[in-house]
Amino acid sequence: MTDFSSIRCLLVEDESFQQEIAVVVLKQAGINDISVATDGLKAVAMLEKAQEKGAPFELIISDLGLPNMDGVEFIRHLANNNVNSGIIIISSMDKKIIDTVELVAKTHALNILGSIEKPLKPAAIKDLLTNMSCTITPKQKSDSYSLDATDLQNAIEQMHIESFFQPKFHFSNKSVAGMEALARWRDPDLGFISPNVFIPLAENNGLISLLTERILECAISGASPLIAANLVPSVSINVSVDLLDSLSFPDYVYNMTRKYGLEPKAVVLEVTESRGISDLAKALDSLVRLRMKGFRLSLDDYGTGSSTLEQLSRIPFSELKIDQSFVTGTWEKSEQRIILESTVTMGRNLGLSIVAEGIETTEDWNYISSLGCDEGQGFLMCRPLPVSDLAPFLAGSSW
Ligand code: C2E
Ligand code: MG
Ligand code: MG
């Protein structure tokens, strides 16, 4: 999104000369439709009114030090009301405090675009707004309707679940290192629905096996011609840990891989432990057999609560995938830099290939590259694409 003139923006900033400056800077960034609330309570009232009118704000820019309701309380309110506008936090407070508030907002699953230290600059706002077009659409659509297990089952049966692919790149020479299959539910009325919505729905309603069968076939059949044409060396597929309870899963994946003429070494299975492994013995059995068949295993979302050192020590992973919360913007966050740098050192010492996801800016790329990570994935290089758009992109080789 480069034309910001159609964005409806709510600026929450107290009555000071700062407010006037903020309005001027937003206009310089190309945002013309600006409503101003001078404290959190007024902002809440304006949001409710806009919602009632069916014209919600696409963007909320809020200071942290608000009168009546502080910025954290305001964020909690937005989360409780499922607000899915893009949110930018602005403040002159300590950077560490701003970072933590940003984390609070992300933990609430708000659509946080980022934070900016004051004084505001148009370029900083424009940078954050470029993230907006991709992040806002799926959440709005899925939240405004309640989707249930029957909808999902119908979608799986009617082949409305498909795979998009996002390439990853070698830091050493920017060439294509592989690609990750990311499931999308294409609903004829609602448009694209995010996997963050339907994967938990499948896991909680006994549909994950059926869904995974569909996703695996989609991912492997989509990737196979690209791999055969040497456009990309491998495909990474996300696997829910629930499936590891099934001892037939390794054979199922192997047969599917061979059905489309792929070698297991061209397939990476990404695992997280977000739901906890219910039967560790069975999970280890499945994972070891997958490795023995030649598949590579990646520990996804490393650095979040779901992926731990304990898993690293007991499971034969080939790759460590560092979560985007430790990648995007980490170059300017001193504490996170220390954690990331020790993670990379540990991963290298364990002989793992290290992938960083969530590379959004050249600063991210340059910093992560300087740490000695192997591969990077993120919006800077390429967003997830349908297979038809991917082939021409890959044919152009490096980004
Ligand atoms: P994940 O496996 O960690 O996938 C990476 C997510 O980060 C993807 O979100 C991708 O679109 C997003 N992403 C990539 N680059 C950037 C970036 O630079 N910035 C930001 N902010 N995000 C970036 P997506 O496609 O919405 O998937 C979300 C999660 O859903 C995945 O996280 C994965 O855990 C799960 N998922 C996706 N497809 C499948 C699937 O086929 N099976 C299972 N079990 N889970 C899946
Ligand atoms: Mg993944
Ligand atoms: Mg991940």
Side-chain angles (χ1 to χ4, degrees), residues 84 86 111 113 131-140 379 383:
N84 46 36
N111 183 11
L113 302 176
N131 291 336
M132 199 162 146
S133 55
C134 67
T135 51
I136 202 165
T137 317
K139 199 163 187 295
Q140 267 183 342
F379 294 164
R383 291 176 184 278

Side-chain angles (χ1 to χ4, degrees), residues 102-356:
E102 193 181 325
L103 192 63
V104 170
K106 282 184 178 158
T107 313
H108 280 303
L110 285 170
N111 183 11
I112 185 96
L113 302 176
S115 54
I116 308 176
E117 279 177 277
K118 285 190 190 172
L120 292 184
K121 293 194 183 69
I125 296 172
K126 281 185 188 170
D127 277 354
L128 292 180
L129 290 181
T130 50
N131 291 336
M132 199 162 146
S133 55
C134 67
T135 51
I136 202 165
T137 317
K139 199 163 187 295
Q140 267 183 342
K141 292 198 167 141
S142 59
D143 282 359
S144 47
Y145 296 80
S146 76
L147 295 160
D148 61 21
T150 316
D151 296 325
L152 179 56
Q153 180 148 11
N154 290 339
I156 298 169
E157 283 161 6
Q158 290 163 20
M159 314 283 251
H160 288 162
I161 309 287
E162 55 191 82
S163 277
F164 275 33
F165 295 93
Q166 185 181 32
K168 39 182 200 154
F169 299 84
H170 292 290
F171 278 108
S172 56
N173 58 8
K174 297 190 172 181
S175 64
V176 178
M179 62 184 183
E180 178 174 12
L182 293 159
R184 297 287 181 267
W185 172 354
R186 188 199 289 263
D187 183 274
D189 301 319
L190 306 182
F192 284 111
I193 298 162
S194 160
N196 289 322
V197 173
F198 66 83
I199 298 289
L201 193 63
E203 287 175 338
N204 294 328
N205 291 281
L207 288 171
I208 194 71
S209 288
L210 191 64
L211 177 64
T212 304
E213 283 174 20
R214 170 75 193 131
I215 288 173
L216 266 177
E217 182 136 26
C218 228
I220 292 177
S221 63
S224 172
L226 300 175
I227 294 174
N230 281 329
L231 287 173
V232 62
S234 62
V235 60
S236 297
I237 304 175
N238 292 283
V239 171
S240 170
V241 288
D242 288 20
L243 294 164
L244 303 175
D245 276 358
S246 155
L247 294 177
S248 59
F249 181 67
D251 297 314
Y252 183 84
V253 185
Y254 183 78
N255 293 336
M256 185 66 78
T257 304
R258 297 303 304 144
K259 178 176 166 189
Y260 288 96
L262 282 187
E263 294 296 329
K265 65 175 193 293
V267 178
V268 182
L269 300 169
E270 296 191 3
V271 187
T272 44
E273 217 185 62
S274 52
R275 279 162 61 86
I277 294 181
S278 57
D279 186 333
L280 183 60
K282 278 190 186 161
L284 289 177
D285 184 313
S286 295
L287 289 166
V288 162
R289 288 185 57 238
L290 284 164
R291 278 290 269 150
M292 286 160 57
K293 286 176 190 298
F295 294 100
R296 280 177 286 160
L297 300 179
S298 170
L299 180 55
D300 202 355
D301 300 338
Y302 192 80
T304 65
S306 333
S307 292
T308 59
L309 282 172
E310 194 195 354
Q311 282 170 300
L312 262 188
S313 60
R314 69 187 182 201
I315 298 172
F317 285 107
S318 352
E319 176 183 288
L320 190 65
K321 203 158 182 189
I322 300 173
D323 189 69
Q324 49 184 264
S325 57
F326 279 93
V327 173
T328 318
T330 293
W331 59 276
E332 53 176 353
K333 296 174 184 165
S334 54
E335 274 77 13
Q336 289 206 14
R337 275 206 312 261
I338 295 169
I339 299 170
L340 180 62
E341 285 163 21
S342 18
T343 303
V344 174
T345 307
M346 178 203 64
R348 294 198 77 78
N349 288 341
L350 287 170
L352 298 169
S353 170
I354 304 173
V355 184

Side-chain angles (χ1 to χ4, degrees), residues 2-77:
T2 44
D3 177 17
F4 305 131
S5 59
S6 60
I7 293 178
R8 296 197 65 226
C9 170
L10 175 63
L11 172 69
V12 193
E13 172 75 277
D14 65 5
E15 275 165 0
S16 63
F17 70 99
Q18 288 286 358
Q19 185 198 99
E20 284 160 38
I21 294 174
V23 171
V24 170
V25 172
L26 286 172
K27 289 198 167 159
Q28 284 170 354
I31 303 171
N32 297 319
D33 188 346
I34 307 166
S35 305
V36 182
T38 47
D39 68 40
L41 292 176
K42 286 184 186 144
V44 167
M46 289 172 79
L47 283 167
E48 280 167 5
K49 210 162 163 191
Q51 194 73 39
E52 275 165 25
K53 282 205 224 146
F57 293 100
E58 285 110 356
L59 177 65
I60 300 171
I61 300 186
S62 178
D63 198 318
L64 287 184
L66 301 172
N68 296 329
M69 184 190 248
D70 69 40
V72 178
E73 289 175 299
F74 180 55
I75 279 169
R76 196 184 323 122
H77 173 89

Side-chain angles (χ1 to χ4, degrees), residues 90-103:
I90 51 174
S91 184
S92 45
M93 287 184 188
D94 186 308
K95 182 80 176 73
K96 221 169 131 186
I97 296 178
I98 305 179
D99 290 347
T100 311
V101 175
E102 193 181 325
L103 192 63

